């Protein structure tokens, strides 16, 4: 599995697919390779949950569901969670309308949608619980250069046209001893609306020392480069175009054997791997204190100066009601999310995600426990 965006799938197809997963009882538990014996998930409540939203977390959700099925089988319970990776916006819309039990989203629910969700969550509010993290690579193809360091400012200038050749003095200053060709830089960006684009542009806004003034959003607003559709599209475009560069989930960079730039946050270039991404997540701050809504202060990740922390990490949320479910739905949502936040995180690093650090996991678990 990979941290990837998939085509929109019909809800019925998703339900059917997940039902097939539920049928393969023994194989499901074994397929994840996860020890479920110490799980605190109760497997109580209604047997079938529904959810929709972020395609970026789709493969993590597959693992969460498979692991949860295994946990509940060991307790002689039959459960299923049908997740439709229809996109973050659609997931939030369906959640507000009460068409799904929870939503997956690359961005926290806020503003008018948050107010609308309060109507759905009778007597409660919508909480954003970050359960899935995936590092984003700044990946490039440049003949003769397989070790490159960039920082927020140079990345911003590449993607808004302020730097147009690889031998630019600003890049050279970060790469002493590296022979940089005068090859023109071709930025490859997402042509479709994307949570990865939104988070990448939020990173540039935070980390570019004022070089990025274009703002953020799901559509690329830098004004330069060539567009390609989807994570697979930008990765394949860079693989076939010397001198090009893109932002893409790490698993796609790995699949296409792209070279990934280190990012300098002030103490030298930091390589992208699970350890360095975990350091950034471990230092994340939340907008609110205490158990409950866990909307992240993304500046605390994107603006990190922690030594050895890789700052460009995409967080995706599960959006749930703090209260307002019926009793069976409450029990099932809490049980599933408890499993997802704990044993469900095992082996996610092999899927292109970053498992929750222990301290972060404790905070998430406390919020799950607080759902009434």
């Amino acid at each position: 599995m990979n941290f990837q965006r998939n085509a929109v799938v019909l809800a019925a197809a998703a339900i059917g697919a997940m039902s097939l997963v539920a049928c393969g009882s023994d194989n499901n538990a074994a397929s994840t390779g996860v020890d479920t014996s110490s799980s605190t998930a109760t497997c109580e409540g209604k047997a079938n949950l529904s959810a929709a939203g972020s395609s970026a977390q789709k493969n993590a959700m597959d693992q969460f569901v498979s692991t949860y099925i295994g946990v509940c089988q060991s307790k002689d319970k039959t459960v299923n969670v049908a997740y439709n990776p229809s996109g973050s916006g659609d997931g939030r819309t369906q959640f507000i309308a009460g068409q799904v039990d929870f939503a997956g989203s690359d961005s926290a629910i806020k503003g008018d949608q948050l107010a609308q969700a309060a109507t759905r969550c009778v007597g409660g509010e919508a909480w954003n619980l970050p359960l899935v993290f995936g590092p984003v690579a700044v990946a490039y193809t440049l003949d003769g250069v397989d070790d490159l360091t960039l920082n927020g400012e140079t990345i911003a200038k590449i993607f808004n046209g302020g730097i147009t050749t690889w031998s630019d003095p600003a890049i050279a200053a970060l790469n002493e001893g590296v022979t940089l060709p005068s090859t023109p830089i071709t930025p490859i960006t997402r042509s479709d609306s994307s949570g990865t684009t939104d988070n990448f542009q939020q990173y540039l806004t935070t980390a570019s020392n004022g070089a990025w003034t274009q703002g953020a959003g799901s559509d690329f607003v830098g004004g330069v480069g060539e567009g390609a559709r989807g994570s697979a599209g930008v990765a394949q475009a860079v693989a076939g175009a010397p001198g090009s560069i893109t932002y893409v989930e790490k698993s796609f960079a790995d699949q296409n054997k792209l070279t990934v730039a280190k990012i300098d946050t002030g103490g030298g270039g930091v390589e992208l791997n699970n350890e360095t991404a975990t350091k950034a997540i471990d230092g994340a701050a939340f907008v609110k204190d205490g158990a409950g809504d866990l909307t992240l202060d993304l500046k605390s990740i994107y603006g990190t100066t922690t030594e050895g922390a890789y700052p460009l990490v995409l967080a995706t949320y599960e959006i749930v009601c703090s209260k307002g479910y019926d009793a069976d739905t409450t029990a099932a949502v809490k049980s599933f999310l408890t499993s997802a936040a704990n044993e469900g995180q095992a082996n996610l690093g092999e899927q292109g995600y970053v498992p929750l650090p222990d301290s972060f996991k404790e905070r998430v678990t406390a919020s799950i426990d607080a759902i009434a």
Side-chain angles (χ1 to χ4, degrees):
M1 297 187 226
N2 300 298
F3 189 76
Q4 62 182 315
R5 304 189 179 280
N6 299 278
V8 174
V9 188
L10 293 175
I15 292 171
M18 295 314 302
S19 296
L20 290 175
V21 172
C23 292
S25 57
D26 291 340
N27 290 336
N28 288 323
S31 67
T32 63
V34 175
D35 179 8
T36 61
S37 60
S38 61
S39 175
T40 59
T42 65
C43 301
E44 297 295 333
K46 69 179 185 180
N48 297 301
L49 287 171
S50 62
S54 166
S55 57
Q57 65 173 242
K58 189 264 182 187
N59 291 317
M61 189 62 66
D62 285 349
Q63 176 165 306
F64 294 162
V65 172
S66 184
T67 299
Y68 184 55
I69 288 170
V71 167
C72 294
Q73 284 171 349
S74 70
K75 301 176 186 290
D76 294 324
K77 300 277 188 178
T78 299
V79 298
N80 188 32
V81 181
Y83 184 80
N84 178 13
S86 56
S88 297
D90 180 69
R92 294 192 299 270
T93 298
Q94 289 198 50
F95 173 75
I96 291 168
Q99 296 170 344
V100 292
D101 297 314
F102 65 92
S105 179
D106 298 342
S107 301
I109 192 168
K110 56 189 176 182
D112 291 343
Q113 286 193 323
L114 183 62
Q116 293 165 11
T119 301
R120 181 262 163 95
C121 300
V122 182
E125 60 183 357
W127 284 353
N128 301 283
L129 305 181
L131 276 186
V132 182
F133 287 86
V136 176
V138 179
Y140 67 96
T141 297
L142 186 61
D143 292 342
V145 180
D146 57 8
D147 186 357
L148 181 74
T149 296
L150 300 171
N151 60 14
E153 183 173 351
T154 53
I155 296 169
K157 289 181 178 179
I158 286 170
F159 281 91
N160 67 13
I163 292 176
T164 59
T165 61
W166 284 106
S167 58
D168 187 281
I171 298 177
L174 294 168
N175 294 275
E176 292 185 14
V178 177
T179 301
L180 295 168
S182 58
T183 307
I185 300 175
T186 303
I188 305 293
T189 66
R190 290 285 292 269
S191 60
D192 54 326
S193 293
S194 161
T196 307
T197 296
D198 186 20
N199 280 267
F200 177 67
Q201 293 180 133
Q202 289 187 60
Y203 161 72
L204 296 180
T205 300
T206 300
S208 68
N209 196 29
W212 186 265
T213 59
Q214 285 73 24
S218 298
D219 296 316
F220 180 71
V221 293
V224 299
E226 301 175 2
R229 186 171 182 80
S231 298
V234 295
Q236 291 166 7
V238 170
S244 60
I245 187 170
T246 194
Y247 54 91
V248 68
E249 292 89 342
K250 178 179 181 293
S251 62
F252 283 92
D254 292 343
Q255 281 179 355
N256 289 273
K257 296 180 172 55
L258 300 178
T259 308
V260 176
K262 298 174 182 176
I263 295 182
D264 186 351
T265 62
V270 178
E271 183 179 351
L272 169 54
N273 55 47
N274 282 344
E275 180 181 354
T276 59
T278 298
K279 281 189 176 182
I281 298 168
D282 210 14
F286 300 92
V287 173
K288 298 179 180 179
D289 294 327
D293 180 68
L294 295 181
T295 300
L296 290 162
D297 176 3
L298 292 176
K299 291 182 180 179
S300 67
I301 299 176
Y302 296 149
T304 184
T305 56
T306 299
E307 183 178 356
Y310 182 87
L312 190 44
V313 180
L314 172 68
T316 67
Y317 298 92
E318 310 315 324
I319 300 173
V320 301
C321 287
S322 65
K323 62 174 64 174
Y325 294 122
D326 61 74
D328 280 346
T329 302
T330 298
V333 168
K334 292 177 71 171
S335 180
F336 171 68
L337 294 179
T338 296
S339 177
N342 290 280
E343 62 270 6
Q345 298 288 316
N347 303 330
L348 279 187
E350 299 172 9
Q351 322 289 344
Y353 300 93
V354 183
L356 298 180
D358 288 342
S359 60
F360 200 100
K361 188 184 299 183
E362 291 172 6
R363 185 76 181 269
V364 172
T365 300
S367 288
I368 295 169
D369 290 343
I371 297 172

